[in-house]
PDB file of all heavy atoms in Angstrom:
ATOM      1  N   GLU A 306    -275.138 -26.957 -39.363  1.00 98.00           N
ATOM      2  CA  GLU A 306    -274.960 -27.618 -40.718  1.00 98.00           C
ATOM      3  C   GLU A 306    -273.535 -27.549 -41.180  1.00 98.00           C
ATOM      4  O   GLU A 306    -272.886 -28.527 -41.644  1.00 98.00           O
ATOM      5  CB  GLU A 306    -275.856 -26.989 -41.743  1.00 98.00           C
ATOM      6  CG  GLU A 306    -275.804 -27.590 -43.072  1.00 98.00           C
ATOM      7  CD  GLU A 306    -276.866 -26.864 -44.013  1.00 98.00           C
ATOM      8  OE1 GLU A 306    -276.718 -25.589 -44.230  1.00 98.00           O
ATOM      9  OE2 GLU A 306    -277.751 -27.580 -44.484  1.00 98.00           O
ATOM     10  N   ALA A 307    -272.957 -26.369 -40.997  1.00 98.00           N
ATOM     11  CA  ALA A 307    -271.525 -26.104 -41.412  1.00 98.00           C
ATOM     12  C   ALA A 307    -270.610 -26.962 -40.566  1.00 98.00           C
ATOM     13  O   ALA A 307    -269.721 -27.659 -41.089  1.00 98.00           O
ATOM     14  CB  ALA A 307    -271.149 -24.691 -41.314  1.00 98.00           C
ATOM     15  N   PHE A 308    -270.811 -27.032 -39.289  1.00 98.00           N
ATOM     16  CA  PHE A 308    -270.051 -27.880 -38.290  1.00 98.00           C
ATOM     17  C   PHE A 308    -270.003 -29.380 -38.714  1.00 98.00           C
ATOM     18  O   PHE A 308    -268.931 -30.010 -38.824  1.00 98.00           O
ATOM     19  CB  PHE A 308    -270.458 -27.653 -36.926  1.00 98.00           C
ATOM     20  CG  PHE A 308    -269.720 -28.568 -35.927  1.00 98.00           C
ATOM     21  CD1 PHE A 308    -268.420 -28.214 -35.447  1.00 98.00           C
ATOM     22  CD2 PHE A 308    -270.338 -29.698 -35.422  1.00 98.00           C
ATOM     23  CE1 PHE A 308    -267.794 -29.106 -34.570  1.00 98.00           C
ATOM     24  CE2 PHE A 308    -269.734 -30.540 -34.552  1.00 98.00           C
ATOM     25  CZ  PHE A 308    -268.396 -30.231 -34.155  1.00 98.00           C
ATOM     26  N   LEU A 309    -271.228 -29.863 -38.977  1.00 97.00           N
ATOM     27  CA  LEU A 309    -271.357 -31.276 -39.376  1.00 97.00           C
ATOM     28  C   LEU A 309    -270.660 -31.651 -40.676  1.00 97.00           C
ATOM     29  O   LEU A 309    -270.276 -32.777 -40.941  1.00 97.00           O
ATOM     30  CB  LEU A 309    -272.772 -31.639 -39.320  1.00 97.00           C
ATOM     31  CG  LEU A 309    -273.524 -31.599 -38.032  1.00 97.00           C
ATOM     32  CD1 LEU A 309    -274.971 -32.000 -38.122  1.00 97.00           C
ATOM     33  CD2 LEU A 309    -272.829 -32.527 -36.965  1.00 97.00           C
ATOM     34  N   ALA A 310    -270.551 -30.551 -41.552  1.00 97.00           N
ATOM     35  CA  ALA A 310    -269.947 -30.733 -42.848  1.00 97.00           C
ATOM     36  C   ALA A 310    -268.464 -30.485 -42.789  1.00 97.00           C
ATOM     37  O   ALA A 310    -267.730 -30.420 -43.805  1.00 97.00           O
ATOM     38  CB  ALA A 310    -270.576 -29.740 -43.868  1.00 97.00           C
ATOM     39  N   GLY A 311    -267.883 -30.203 -41.609  1.00 97.00           N
ATOM     40  CA  GLY A 311    -266.455 -29.960 -41.413  1.00 97.00           C
ATOM     41  C   GLY A 311    -266.038 -28.609 -41.813  1.00 97.00           C
ATOM     42  O   GLY A 311    -264.868 -28.351 -42.093  1.00 97.00           O
ATOM     43  N   LYS A 312    -266.948 -27.628 -41.815  1.00 97.00           N
ATOM     44  CA  LYS A 312    -266.656 -26.292 -42.203  1.00 97.00           C
ATOM     45  C   LYS A 312    -266.833 -25.397 -40.993  1.00 97.00           C
ATOM     46  O   LYS A 312    -267.622 -25.635 -40.040  1.00 97.00           O
ATOM     47  CB  LYS A 312    -267.585 -25.789 -43.327  1.00 97.00           C
ATOM     48  CG  LYS A 312    -267.498 -26.552 -44.555  1.00 97.00           C
ATOM     49  CD  LYS A 312    -268.497 -26.107 -45.591  1.00 97.00           C
ATOM     50  CE  LYS A 312    -268.499 -26.968 -46.812  1.00 97.00           C
ATOM     51  NZ  LYS A 312    -269.510 -26.522 -47.832  1.00 97.00           N
ATOM     52  N   GLU A 313    -266.096 -24.251 -40.943  1.00 92.00           N
ATOM     53  CA  GLU A 313    -266.174 -23.361 -39.859  1.00 92.00           C
ATOM     54  C   GLU A 313    -267.113 -22.144 -40.256  1.00 92.00           C
ATOM     55  O   GLU A 313    -266.967 -21.550 -41.370  1.00 92.00           O
ATOM     56  CB  GLU A 313    -264.795 -22.766 -39.482  1.00 92.00           C
ATOM     57  CG  GLU A 313    -263.934 -23.804 -38.882  1.00 92.00           C
ATOM     58  CD  GLU A 313    -262.771 -23.151 -38.027  1.00 92.00           C
ATOM     59  OE1 GLU A 313    -262.603 -21.934 -38.102  1.00 92.00           O
ATOM     60  OE2 GLU A 313    -262.068 -23.901 -37.305  1.00 92.00           O
TER      61      GLU A 313
END
Side-chain angles (χ1 to χ4, degrees):
E306 183 178 62
F308 174 78
L309 296 178
K312 300 176 182 179
E313 291 201 351

